[in-house]
Amino acid sequence: MLWDRKGSQKASLGIGYEDLYNEGVIGIFSSADRAMDFNTALLHGQEKLEALAFSVGKLISGLEERKCGG
């Protein structure tokens, strides 16, 4: 979570999130598909989470297909 200069919360992965890969995290995803304020993220949370779940599912399916040689 980030905050802008006015103190408003912003939905975001956050600066430096990539450092988590060095700690063993293998995947980082965001439900926000664009920059948006926190209230907008909450308002559209269900649809954003559904889209995120679909994307993660496609990733898992694709990895399984590659692993099985499909």
Side-chain angles (χ1 to χ4, degrees):
M1 190 66 58
L2 294 176
W3 288 265
D4 65 14
R5 292 181 183 171
K6 296 178 184 178
S8 299
Q9 291 179 323
K10 301 291 181 183
S12 175
L13 288 175
I15 297 169
Y17 76 90
E18 298 95 340
D19 294 341
L20 292 172
Y21 290 120
N22 295 329
E23 301 298 324
V25 174
I26 59 171
I28 300 171
F29 301 91
S30 174
S31 60
D33 56 356
R34 59 181 173 80
M36 65 184 75
D37 63 54
F38 185 67
N39 288 331
T40 301
L42 287 178
L43 181 64
H44 297 284
Q46 181 175 345
E47 67 191 72
K48 301 298 181 191
L49 285 175
E50 288 174 1
L52 174 61
F54 178 80
S55 294
V56 172
K58 292 288 285 181
L59 172 66
I60 292 169
S61 294
L63 291 173
E64 288 177 348
E65 287 178 17
R66 285 186 177 196
K67 183 179 176 182
C68 295

